[in-house]
């Protein structure tokens, strides 16, 4: 029946059975409303941890609803809201721990004042003198006991030892104050300890049952959860910052490598362009040099011919060459003419 009701609430809303008048003043609550406890949504609410203990925080002013929590866990916005809710819970828990640590520090100081016994007052001059006399007697008697023991006089040595014991009792009475003994005994009987987790006072060397009862109590477990959450949250934040730092370093290294590759590519391209320009320049130089050599050879050849022809020069050779060529052509034409040849 409850499962069917929950299904109808999910499909039609919790206000499906309300009248029109009731619907006017009705507001359907969702997990992201301000009235809903974000601490309860993401982890735990500290108000639920210390009920009926000395650290009771009272009832939480916001809504705790298991259905809303399930709706939050199934929401597509769950991963987006978790960091924000955890940050708010961490701030609240850190304030609790700060107040607790301050209380623990005050308790530790109070225990230090109560446990440490007050130093005994110094001995009076009269008692100091009596103590010196007794210590001197004890010293002399011990020397005599040692001498009698070496001589084999056991009975006499034992008699002197009994005197030494009486002097030791007298010495103890002079050095120890009855009031100091009483204070030390009471301090030993009422020696207290302080729990560093929850700040509770404990009796040192108490029975195992009482110690176990304290460890399984609400206050100890509650503050243990709070401290564990803070440590876990800080570790996660530190890990995220470290991963972000490594990612930035890797990205910067990739950019650096890319810039180096681009610079190398441009350098090779510029070097290739310079090589091509240099080759073209050398080709042009070789062409010009070849043209100069050709002109020089041709000029030398013409000059040599001119000198053989009597120094008539290039113009004469050119003109005479053309005319001579025409004359020779005419002669060959006549000689090859079939009419003339047959006649």
């Amino acid at each position: 029946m409850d499962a069917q009701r929950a299904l109808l609430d999910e499909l039609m809303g919790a206000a499906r059975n309300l009248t029109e008048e009731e619907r006017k003043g009705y507001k359907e609550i969702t997990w992201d409303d301000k009235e809903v406890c974000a601490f309860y949504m993401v982890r735990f609410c500290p108000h639920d941890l210390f009920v009926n203990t000395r650290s009771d925080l009272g009832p939480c002013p916001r809504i705790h609803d298991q259905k809303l929590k399930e709706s939050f866990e199934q929401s597509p916005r769950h991963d987006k809201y978790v960091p924000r809710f955890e940050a708010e819970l961490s701030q609240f828990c850190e304030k609790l721990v700060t107040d607790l640590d301050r209380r623990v520090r005050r308790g530790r100081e109070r225990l230090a004042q109560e446990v440490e016994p007050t130093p005994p007052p110094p001995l009076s001059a009269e008692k100091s003198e009596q103590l010196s006399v007794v210590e001197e007697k004890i010293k002399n008697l011990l020397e005599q006991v040692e001498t009698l023991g070496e001589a084999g006089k056991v009975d006499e040595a034992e008699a002197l030892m009994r005197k030494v014991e009486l002097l030791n009792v007298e010495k103890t009475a002079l050095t120890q104050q009855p009031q100091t003994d009483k204070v030390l005994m009471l301090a030993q009987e009422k020696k207290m300890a302080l729990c560093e987790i929850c700040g509770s006072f404990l009796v040192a060397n108490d029975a195992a049952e009482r110690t176990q009862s304290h460890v399984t109590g609400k206050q100890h477990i509650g503050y243990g959860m709070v401290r564990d959450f803070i440590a876990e949250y800080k570790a996660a934040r530190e890990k995220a910052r470290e991963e972000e730092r490594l990612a930035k370093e890797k990205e910067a290294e990739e950019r650096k490598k890319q810039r180096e590759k681009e610079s190398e590519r441009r350098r090779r391209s510029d070097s290739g362009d310079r090589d091509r320009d240099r080759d073209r320049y050398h080709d042009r130089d070789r062409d010009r040099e070849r043209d100069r050599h050709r002109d020089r050879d041709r000029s030398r050849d013409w000059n040599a011919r001119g000198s053989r022809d009597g120094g008539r020069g290039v113009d004469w050779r050119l003109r005479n060459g053309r005319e001579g060529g025409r004359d020779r052509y005419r002669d060959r034409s006549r000689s090859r003419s079939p009419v003339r040849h047959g006649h």
Side-chain angles (χ1 to χ4, degrees), residues 309 312-328:
D309 294 338
R312 280 172 290 188
V314 176
D315 293 338
W316 179 86
R317 288 198 304 272
L318 292 174
R319 184 175 61 253
N320 205 22
R322 286 196 296 269
E323 293 174 354
R326 286 195 294 270
D327 294 338
R328 285 193 297 273

Side-chain angles (χ1 to χ4, degrees), residues 31 71-81:
W31 62 264
S71 175
F72 168 67
E73 292 173 351
Q74 297 171 3
S75 173
R77 294 182 294 163
H78 174 270
D79 295 340
K80 177 182 177 182
Y81 275 77

Side-chain angles (χ1 to χ4, degrees), residues 7 49-50 56 75 106 131 138 140 148 163 165 170 172 178 199 232 245 254 257 267-268 278 293:
L7 180 61
L49 300 180
F50 309 106
D56 194 343
S75 173
R106 288 198 301 265
L131 183 62
I138 292 173
N140 293 333
L148 291 173
K163 290 183 179 181
E165 291 175 358
E170 184 179 353
T172 302
E232 178 185 348
R245 184 184 66 81
E254 292 293 333
K257 291 181 179 179
R267 187 182 65 79
R268 290 179 178 179
R278 186 168 56 251
H293 282 296

